[in-house]
Amino acid sequence: MKLAIIGAGNVGGALGKAWAEKAGHDVFFGVRQPASEKTQALLAGIRGKVQAGSPQQAAAFADVIVLTTPWPETEGAIRAMGDLKGKIVLDCTNPLGMVDGALGLVIGHSISGGEKVQGWAAGTSVFKTLNTTGFGNMADPNYKDGKPVMFVAGNDAANKPKVMTLVGDLGFDMVDAGPLRNARLLEAHAMLWIDLALNRGHGRDFAFGILRR
Ligand SMILES: NC(=O)c1ccc[n+]([C@@H]2O[C@H](COP(=O)([O-])OP(=O)(O)OC[C@H]3O[C@@H](n4cnc5c(N)ncnc54)[C@H](OP(=O)(O)O)[C@@H]3O)[C@@H](O)[C@H]2O)c1
């Protein structure tokens, strides 16, 4: 599949490498400085089909656009890509910032970043996913007790199976988390992972999983 990854930091870099190397997907990083040393080093460290260009070039190339930008940059990054009609968008961002003196969701809990992204990316199908665990787990989701869970929330039922397969290629236990509105739950769930990792002594080497009878 042809993938545009917008942003090539912790999350974008880990996802691009994993999708190219584990599943042979065609990865096009959409970045602000494609020729920078940082971008070139990232490309050199990935075995597989990878390239970098502007976010607009990446979007034109791809069927699926993966957003991995910091929240304050996300609206601008989407608008800079121009007409995205008909594309699938995976929103991996979290609307993080300081709220009442602590890290929180700057847009509150009665709307989600995923729904805002849908508003900015007119004519696309937005799915909220890959926001509820750390980038280390995206690079390496292997745990001796089983696969970490990964949720997908989105309204486009026709394309959801394709998205579940694509994210599942990374090695997650995939769960359909319902409509895009449920991004409100997934973004709060991300805050729980972050709080446990940063403030409760769990570090980054843990992941949530689901037990079933
Ligand atoms: N870190 C995690 O474990 C984790 C887990 C789940 C979700 N998330 C979410 O994923 C997002 C990215 O997190 P991160 O840790 O990967 O951040 P990061 O390491 O700071 O990477 C962000 C990337 O976005 C790029 N960028 C910024 N503005 C851009 C624009 N207008 N157009 C194109 N690229 C742009 C930056 O490029 P430059 O080099 O040009 O600045 C950088 O490569 C955030 O929304 C975060 O909340 C993070």
Side-chain angles (χ1 to χ4, degrees), residues 37-151:
E37 236 172 79
K38 193 174 121 188
T39 305
Q40 292 305 312
L42 174 67
L43 296 180
I46 299 176
R47 294 181 312 278
K49 290 175 279 184
V50 283
Q51 57 187 312
S54 69
Q56 200 171 2
Q57 288 170 327
F61 164 88
D63 313 307
V64 177
I65 298 169
V66 184
L67 297 175
T68 72
T69 43
W71 179 250
E73 304 284 347
T74 299
E75 179 178 3
I78 291 169
R79 298 211 188 276
M81 284 187 276
D83 184 4
L84 299 178
K85 227 170 264 137
K87 307 274 187 189
I88 292 172
V89 174
L90 306 193
D91 173 24
C92 312
T93 70
N94 281 308
L96 300 182
M98 295 309 283
V99 180
D100 298 333
L103 195 63
L105 298 175
V106 290
I107 59 174
H109 295 264
S110 58
I111 183 70
S112 63
E115 290 162 286
K116 284 194 167 278
V117 164
Q118 182 65 82
W120 298 329
T124 67
S125 287
V126 175
F127 293 89
K128 189 87 201 185
T129 188
L130 289 166
N131 70 308
T132 52
T133 199
F135 68 89
N137 290 326
M138 301 179 200
D140 177 11
N142 296 306
Y143 283 85
K144 67 175 170 39
D145 301 322
K147 291 181 180 183
V149 67
M150 185 49 64
F151 303 103

